[in-house]
Amino acid sequence: MEKQQAIRPLSTTALTIAIDAMGGDDAPQMVIDGLVRARFRHMDVHFELHGDEAKLQPLLAPHNKLADCTSIHHADVAITMDEKPSQALRQDGRKSSMWMAIKSVRDGTAQAAVSAGNTGALMAMSKVQLRTLPSIDRPALIAMWPTMIGETAVLDMGANIEVNAKQLVDFAVMGSVYSRILTGIQRPKIGLLNVGVEETKGHEEVRAAATLLANAPIKAEFVGFVEGDDIGKGTVDVVVTDGFTGNIALKTAEGTARLISDFLSRAMRRSIFSKIGYLFARGAFQRLKDKMDPRNINGGVFLGLNGVVIKSHGGTDAIGFASAIDVAVDMARENVAEQIADEISRMMDAPLFERSAGNAQADEGLGEAKAALP
Amino acid sequence: MEKQQAIRPLSTTALTIAIDAMGGDDAPQMVIDGLVRARFRHMDVHFELHGDEAKLQPLLAPHNKLADCTSIHHADVAITMDEKPSQALRQDGRKSSMWMAIKSVRDGTAQAAVSAGNTGALMAMSKVQLRTLPSIDRPALIAMWPTMIGETAVLDMGANIEVNAKQLVDFAVMGSVYSRILTGIQRPKIGLLNVGVEETKGHEEVRAAATLLANAPIKAEFVGFVEGDDIGKGTVDVVVTDGFTGNIALKTAEGTARLISDFLSRAMRRSIFSKIGYLFARGAFQRLKDKMDPRNINGGVFLGLNGVVIKSHGGTDAIGFASAIDVAVDMARENVAEQIADEISRMMDAPLFERSAGNAQADEGLGEAKAALP
């Protein structure tokens, strides 16, 4: 089934990115359009396109230059957006374009995989094939948000609907390593997302995680609880939360950005003065629009895996998908997964974390944290 | 301890609003400044000011007209922002300005209470003094959000950190009544906030609530799950979620609005063209700013109580506090609490909900919903 087309010899330094061509609301057309854009920015990258060859071949054909650096790998199955992760892992799912793209990362033929498909299925397949790093229970989805003073990494963006205190601590560690690699800040500031900055507020898990983090030997500064508006302020470098809250916060922020853009363009059309104003200021508007465009911050990274897997929005367009490919190329070049593995293993050797492992450790930590609470 | 000053005879139709003068980061100065603004809009309203008379008297003194329609009621205690609800309910707490303001509503001397203080304490005191409506376990905090096509009611905004399926259904019913009263829409559309619109996604509580709502005899249209960006789109009239998620979504949206406003003003100062543009368009900018100003949507309403209690942001300024007073006046005039009580009791008589009551009902509902899930 896996037939390669347009095989090109790759230099040892060249990257290969595996693409799930069937994932996303507007796939595969959107994927091809995204690749057309991405190719200009990454002339030395080879793309492995996994999906329905009969559909992909005619879409790719008009783009000679892209076809030269792309190979199509036929996959019979496409994972749907409403498929449960457990279904996706069954036999048919293991013939899917999503599975095959991740398999290329596992086999070492690709250095990163990108999919705009079902998040739950992508995480389940990544976990099964790539395995999590030692002492990490579950991978998390991280994304960079624009802030008043730069960018803040936020995780988890939706991979883990329910988490315990130990997992929130894992997220904090992974997020701080990611932030350090991307921004160069040696001791990134970490905040736990909560409904108030007081120690008595919030879920039990969040309060227990705060107690653990206050004592954890991490190369980061844990500042305590932060609130929703601290993300945009850039109060910290890394914001840690569960996947349910993180996903809703992200989408609410996107919705707010679109709402304001809508208000603004309506306000600009209201009078002759505002129309003239718009003519003069449209360069400024365009810069603002680019900065707030969710397509430009599209592309979340799964952290905690033995490999790089990038999740693009299900509803993304070609611009957003190309942006996710940018992230994949950066992550693969920086060997982020390996760097995190090193950092985590170093931290896990520290006294607080070496006493026990896995769930027993999580429970113990939670018990300790509970006891320490007022 | 309760000494009245400047007692004025009130006509039978006049409203009295009880104010917790000591609640909020910048209280009591901010509260007095807010009242100065609010008085102009509500010339026929009497204000009961609960708090430290020694502090309030000199702040009120310069404002003759406000003093004429305001009575100071001394309270020895002020609830702090980090006090636990259980602490706030102890003996000293029952001498607090917050407690006394709610007591006026219970005693019928005021038709609504407003506080910018500790949310948890305000809810606990409201629940103890006013009691919840029959068959409502816990009150919820609701707020109106601006959307592309109007306004959407969102609840819970932070009163209930953890909720079960039955409570989410209660929120949906209360929110739909509130929306109907405020907007006149006879069958408001209700959406449950989730990480995806597919039935297989999200917390167990959210999925169980969806099953219950699909079968509930409510005067509203349950459209299923909505995502964070649906709030700004105005997809539904009422968005239902737990208080942890709702509070973080609200603050994230506010943070995003401030972030964009900051980007915009920086972009406008960048070049001579954008500066000229700004001069022409500043009327449009001001309208946008007013529309997105969180102070103008400040003022959440506790639903599910035998009385009206309005929560203003802890960090609000005078403009925001005046806006919360506006909400209090509207709610008291519309007898919203009574209307909700009628609607809830009517709904609770329906077959689905009359079989059991309280927690047993919640558990049963959850069990049924679980059984109905795929």
Side-chain angles (χ1 to χ4, degrees):
Chain A
M1 282 298 176
E2 279 185 66
K3 197 169 71 178
Q4 282 211 341
Q5 290 205 334
I7 296 167
R8 282 167 20 117
L10 295 171
S11 77
T12 48
T13 55
L15 287 178
T16 296
I17 307 293
I19 310 280
D20 169 13
M22 310 309 282
D25 298 342
D26 300 323
Q29 178 72 59
M30 169 281 289
V31 171
I32 301 290
D33 294 344
L35 281 172
V36 170
R37 288 174 170 269
R39 192 193 66 85
F40 286 103
R41 300 200 285 263
H42 310 289
M43 304 292 268
D44 57 341
V45 171
H46 177 80
F47 299 106
E48 264 188 16
L49 211 48
H50 296 265
D52 185 340
E53 188 179 356
K55 287 184 183 159
L56 295 175
Q57 188 54 48
L59 292 175
L60 187 60
H63 307 289
N64 286 336
K65 295 237 167 95
L66 176 63
D68 282 351
C69 60
T70 301
S71 52
I72 296 178
H73 301 244
H74 180 73
D76 275 332
V77 177
I79 301 292
T80 59
M81 293 308 257
D82 58 356
E83 210 153 332
K84 278 185 162 179
S86 54
Q87 288 174 329
L89 287 178
R90 287 179 199 150
Q91 203 163 4
D92 263 6
R94 297 187 183 217
K95 296 175 191 161
S96 67
S97 56
M98 186 186 278
W99 177 274
M100 298 310 291
I102 301 164
K103 187 172 180 294
S104 283
V105 176
R106 186 188 67 188
D107 295 345
T109 60
Q111 284 70 54
V114 181
S115 175
N118 183 324
T119 308
L122 187 65
M123 180 166 102
M125 287 181 177
S126 300
K127 207 180 153 183
V128 165
Q129 294 197 77
L130 302 178
R131 303 278 166 195
T132 53
L133 297 170
S135 84
I136 296 290
D137 294 334
R138 305 196 64 188
L141 190 55
I142 194 165
M144 297 301 281
W145 288 41
T147 74
M148 286 194 194
I149 54 175
E151 282 188 307
T152 290
V154 186
L155 79 168
D156 175 28
M157 300 309 308
N160 303 280
I161 297 305
E162 282 174 285
V163 298
N164 62 31
K166 157 69 163 59
Q167 285 164 337
L168 287 171
V169 173
D170 288 348
F171 294 174
V173 173
M174 294 193 288
S176 65
V177 173
Y178 183 82
S179 169
R180 183 156 57 243
I181 291 170
L182 256 73
T183 66
I185 298 167
Q186 283 310 298
R187 278 178 65 81
K189 286 185 192 163
I190 299 177
L192 263 173
L193 195 58
N194 202 349
V195 295
V197 295
E198 301 86 19
E199 280 174 28
T200 56
K201 286 190 171 173
H203 284 293
E204 188 171 282
E205 291 76 20
V206 170
R207 286 182 283 133
T211 308
L212 284 173
L213 275 172
N215 301 303
I218 49 175
K219 273 170 69 179
E221 181 190 345
F222 175 58
V223 303
F225 296 133
V226 293
E227 299 192 61
D229 53 345
D230 287 306
I231 305 177
K233 284 183 196 161
T235 307
V236 292
D237 303 302
V238 182
V239 172
V240 174
T241 188
D242 66 274
F244 188 84
T245 311
N247 181 283
I248 285 172
L250 174 71
K251 289 192 175 155
T252 302
E254 285 175 2
T256 305
R258 266 199 296 269
L259 175 67
I260 295 175
S261 151
D262 178 69
F263 282 165
L264 194 60
S265 61
R266 275 194 262 171
M268 284 295 139
R269 288 193 303 262
R270 191 167 298 195
S271 74
I272 184 72
F273 290 106
S274 56
K275 281 177 188 162
I276 294 169
Y278 179 74
L279 281 179
F280 279 96
R282 63 184 167 186
F285 283 127
Q286 195 51 53
R287 273 192 298 278
L288 175 74
K289 230 171 169 174
D290 289 347
K291 194 150 190 174
M292 293 311 301
D293 190 339
R295 293 175 305 188
N296 290 332
I297 50 166
N298 189 47
V301 179
F302 280 123
L303 293 181
L305 294 168
N306 293 301
V308 176
V309 178
I310 310 294
K311 169 69 175 82
S312 182
H313 267 226
T316 191
D317 61 9
I319 297 171
F321 198 77
S323 167
I325 292 172
D326 293 345
V327 176
V329 171
D330 286 351
M331 292 300 100
R333 285 235 165 82
E334 296 275 346
N335 283 322
V336 168
E338 280 171 43
Q339 291 198 50
I340 289 180
D342 291 350
E343 185 87 4
I344 294 270
S345 83
R346 211 180 43 70
M347 200 207 71
M348 288 297 158
D349 288 340
L352 183 78
F353 288 87
E354 70 184 359
R355 278 168 299 182
S356 51
N359 282 334
Q361 177 180 336
D363 293 345
E364 188 189 314
L366 194 59
E368 277 169 21
K370 269 189 214 174
L373 287 171
Chain B
M1 283 296 180
E2 279 183 66
K3 197 170 69 178
Q4 283 213 340
Q5 290 205 335
I7 297 166
R8 283 168 17 119
L10 294 171
S11 76
T12 48
T13 56
L15 287 178
T16 296
I17 307 293
I19 309 280
D20 168 14
M22 310 309 282
D25 297 342
D26 300 323
Q29 178 71 60
M30 168 281 289
V31 171
I32 301 291
D33 294 345
L35 280 173
V36 170
R37 289 174 170 269
R39 193 192 67 85
F40 287 104
R41 300 199 286 262
H42 310 290
M43 304 291 268
D44 57 342
V45 171
H46 177 82
F47 299 107
E48 263 188 18
L49 213 47
H50 295 266
D52 185 340
E53 188 179 357
K55 286 186 183 156
L56 295 175
Q57 188 54 49
L59 292 175
L60 187 61
H63 307 289
N64 286 335
K65 296 239 167 94
L66 176 62
D68 282 350
C69 61
T70 301
S71 52
I72 296 178
H73 301 244
H74 180 74
D76 275 332
V77 177
I79 301 293
T80 59
M81 292 308 256
D82 57 357
E83 210 154 331
K84 278 185 162 178
S86 54
Q87 288 173 330
L89 287 178
R90 285 178 201 152
Q91 202 163 5
D92 262 7
R94 296 187 184 216
K95 297 175 190 162
S96 67
S97 56
M98 187 186 277
W99 177 274
M100 297 311 292
I102 301 164
K103 187 171 180 295
S104 283
V105 176
R106 186 188 65 187
D107 295 345
T109 60
Q111 284 71 54
V114 180
S115 174
N118 184 323
T119 308
L122 187 65
M123 180 165 101
M125 287 181 177
S126 300
K127 207 181 153 183
V128 166
Q129 294 197 78
L130 302 178
R131 303 278 166 197
T132 53
L133 297 170
S135 83
I136 295 290
D137 294 334
R138 306 196 64 187
L141 190 54
I142 193 164
M144 297 301 280
W145 289 40
T147 73
M148 286 193 195
I149 55 175
E151 283 187 307
T152 290
V154 186
L155 79 167
D156 176 30
M157 301 309 309
N160 303 280
I161 298 306
E162 283 174 284
V163 298
N164 62 31
K166 156 70 164 59
Q167 285 164 337
L168 288 171
V169 173
D170 287 348
F171 295 174
V173 174
M174 294 193 287
S176 65
V177 173
Y178 183 83
S179 169
R180 183 156 58 243
I181 291 170
L182 257 73
T183 66
I185 298 167
Q186 283 309 299
R187 279 178 63 83
K189 286 184 191 163
I190 299 176
L192 263 173
L193 195 58
N194 202 349
V195 295
V197 294
E198 301 86 18
E199 281 175 27
T200 56
K201 286 190 172 174
H203 284 292
E204 187 171 284
E205 291 77 20
V206 171
R207 286 182 284 131
T211 308
L212 284 172
L213 275 172
N215 300 303
I218 50 175
K219 274 171 69 180
E221 181 191 344
F222 175 59
V223 303
F225 296 133
V226 293
E227 299 192 62
D229 53 346
D230 286 307
I231 305 176
K233 282 183 198 162
T235 308
V236 292
D237 303 302
V238 182
V239 172
V240 174
T241 188
D242 65 275
F244 187 85
T245 310
N247 180 282
I248 285 172
L250 174 71
K251 289 192 175 154
T252 302
E254 286 175 1
T256 305
R258 267 200 295 269
L259 175 67
I260 296 174
S261 152
D262 178 70
F263 282 165
L264 194 60
S265 60
R266 275 195 264 172
M268 283 295 137
R269 289 194 301 263
R270 191 167 299 194
S271 74
I272 184 71
F273 290 107
S274 56
K275 281 177 189 162
I276 293 169
Y278 180 73
L279 281 180
F280 278 97
R282 64 184 166 185
F285 283 126
Q286 195 50 52
R287 274 192 297 278
L288 174 73
K289 231 173 169 173
D290 290 346
K291 194 150 190 172
M292 292 313 299
D293 190 339
R295 295 175 305 187
N296 290 333
I297 50 166
N298 189 47
V301 179
F302 280 123
L303 293 181
L305 294 167
N306 292 302
V308 176
V309 177
I310 310 295
K311 169 69 175 82
S312 181
H313 267 226
T316 191
D317 61 10
I319 297 171
F321 198 77
S323 167
I325 292 172
D326 293 346
V327 176
V329 171
D330 287 350
M331 292 300 100
R333 285 234 165 82
E334 295 275 346
N335 283 322
V336 168
E338 280 171 42
Q339 291 198 49
I340 289 180
D342 291 348
E343 185 87 5
I344 294 270
S345 82
R346 212 180 42 71
M347 200 209 71
M348 288 299 158
D349 289 340
L352 184 77
F353 287 87
E354 70 184 1
R355 277 167 300 181
S356 52
N359 283 333
Q361 177 180 339
D363 294 344
E364 188 189 314
L366 194 60
E368 277 168 22
K370 269 189 211 173
L373 287 171

